Amino acid sequence: MEGEITRGDSKFSHSEIGNMPRLAQIPTSVTLSAEQFEKLYLNPMMHRQSKLTKNLGNPTPLGLGAFVLTASPLACCLMSWRGAGGGGAAFSGVLILFGGLLLVLSSILEFILGNTFSSVVFGHLGAFCLAFGASMTPAFNSAAPYSPSTTNTLAGLHSPGFVNTFAFFFLFMALLMLIYTICATRTNLIYVAIFLSLILVFSLLAAAYWQLGQENEVLGNRLTVGAGAALFLATMLGFYLLTAMLLDSVGFPLSLPIGDLSGVWNRINGQNNPQDLESGSEENTKG
């Protein structure tokens, strides 16, 4: 009949079709630009996007969230807010079961996606949380041998032998953060500022432990408070970066600036549009 359209076994008039909702094409894959990739994954986009990034979720916010939610209360403890103290011993469970667990898990997921830098950062920070938490756990018996009775973990944590020894761990963690800072100049300014703050955190903690080991409690406590303040700054920057990443991940109309550095080194090298990135984007688009 004229004025009707047949679809399968059903017939629809033109007026009925006009009242039907229009079909919309939903993209099955999205290709990110280098700037978007490095903002969402905190990892330089060296050659091309992995196909897994289009099929799997982004583990980067999980690792960043684990870091800030573990480090921020620890920073408050180091600054002795509301009478907190004990060098973070109260957070041994948080360090192991929250920070350490989620950071190591994020590191493994980043490794699967092929994001080397993010995988290494989360893996090392997660291992630090596990090691720091384990050192304050009596079952591991790491601090008790330094106590006068060789069985008191709390006394061992404050003994000169333990703090003078553990300070070297903080010192070389500061060196590792310096390497991360240099690598982070390929991503964004917020990430760089976080690592700069962490350099200060670990350096001040090493100095504080050595001062406490010499029984100079006044200066040692001041350095500890300074380390807590630097860690608090790092966590606030981390919360900002986490918010920016999550807003972008859900397509929120507001995008927070993070000081993108993805093209700085390319411009320095005279490579504004690297050929390998273009070929990678074209390949993903075809896929």
Side-chain angles (χ1 to χ4, degrees):
M1 182 181 295
E2 186 178 356
E4 293 182 346
I5 296 178
T6 302
R7 293 183 180 176
D9 296 333
S10 304
K11 293 183 179 180
F12 301 93
S13 65
H14 286 291
S15 59
E16 290 175 332
I17 293 175
N19 295 328
M20 291 182 179
R22 294 183 178 181
L23 298 177
Q25 185 177 3
I26 300 176
T28 57
S29 64
V30 177
T31 300
L32 302 175
S33 66
E35 178 181 351
Q36 292 171 325
F37 182 88
E38 291 167 12
K39 181 178 182 179
L40 290 176
Y41 290 90
L42 300 180
N43 191 87
M45 184 176 171
M46 299 299 296
H47 300 290
R48 63 188 64 180
Q49 289 176 229
S50 169
K51 293 181 180 180
L52 291 175
T53 60
K54 297 185 293 182
N55 301 323
L56 301 179
N58 180 10
T60 309
L62 177 65
L64 185 59
F67 164 72
V68 296
L69 288 174
T70 303
S72 50
L74 181 59
C76 297
C77 174
L78 294 176
M79 290 186 290
S80 300
W81 285 2
R82 301 290 297 178
F91 297 114
S92 57
V94 176
L95 287 164
I96 295 174
L97 299 177
F98 190 86
L101 179 63
L102 290 182
L103 280 166
V104 171
L105 176 61
S106 301
S107 174
I108 296 172
L109 295 175
E110 295 283 4
F111 175 82
I112 293 174
L113 293 179
N115 298 330
T116 302
F117 183 52
S118 299
S119 176
V120 172
V121 170
F122 289 153
H124 285 161
L125 289 177
F128 172 81
C129 289
L130 293 174
F132 193 46
S135 299
M136 295 181 292
T137 303
F140 286 91
N141 200 34
S142 59
Y146 290 94
S147 66
S149 64
T150 69
T151 57
N152 190 329
T153 299
L154 184 59
L157 289 172
H158 296 88
S159 64
F162 177 82
V163 294
N164 283 330
T165 304
F166 204 84
F168 286 104
F169 189 27
F170 291 137
L171 179 64
F172 289 104
M173 282 295 297
L175 176 60
L176 185 63
M177 294 303 110
L178 175 60
I179 298 173
Y180 288 165
T181 303
I182 297 173
C183 296
T185 58
R186 183 63 177 79
T187 56
N188 60 74
L189 285 175
I190 301 296
Y191 209 30
V192 172
I194 290 175
F195 287 125
L196 286 173
S197 300
L198 291 178
I199 293 175
L200 190 58
V201 170
F202 289 115
S203 299
L204 289 174
L205 283 176
Y209 269 43
W210 277 321
Q211 290 298 324
L212 292 173
Q214 296 176 358
E215 298 184 356
N216 190 350
E217 294 187 3
V218 175
L219 181 56
N221 290 333
R222 289 178 179 175
L223 290 170
T224 302
V225 172
L231 184 59
F232 188 78
L233 173 61
T235 58
M236 292 301 102
L237 292 171
F239 273 114
Y240 178 87
L241 184 57
L242 177 63
T243 303
M245 293 170 62
L246 290 177
L247 290 178
D248 282 2
S249 70
V250 297
F252 201 78
L254 174 64
S255 181
L256 298 178
I258 60 173
D260 176 61
L261 299 175
S262 60
V264 172
W265 290 109
N266 292 332
R267 288 194 293 270
I268 292 176
N269 295 329
Q271 299 176 353
N272 292 328
N273 295 305
Q275 186 176 358
D276 55 352
L277 291 180
E278 291 180 354
S279 63
S281 297
E282 291 174 1
E283 181 177 333
N284 285 330
T285 303
K286 294 179 181 178

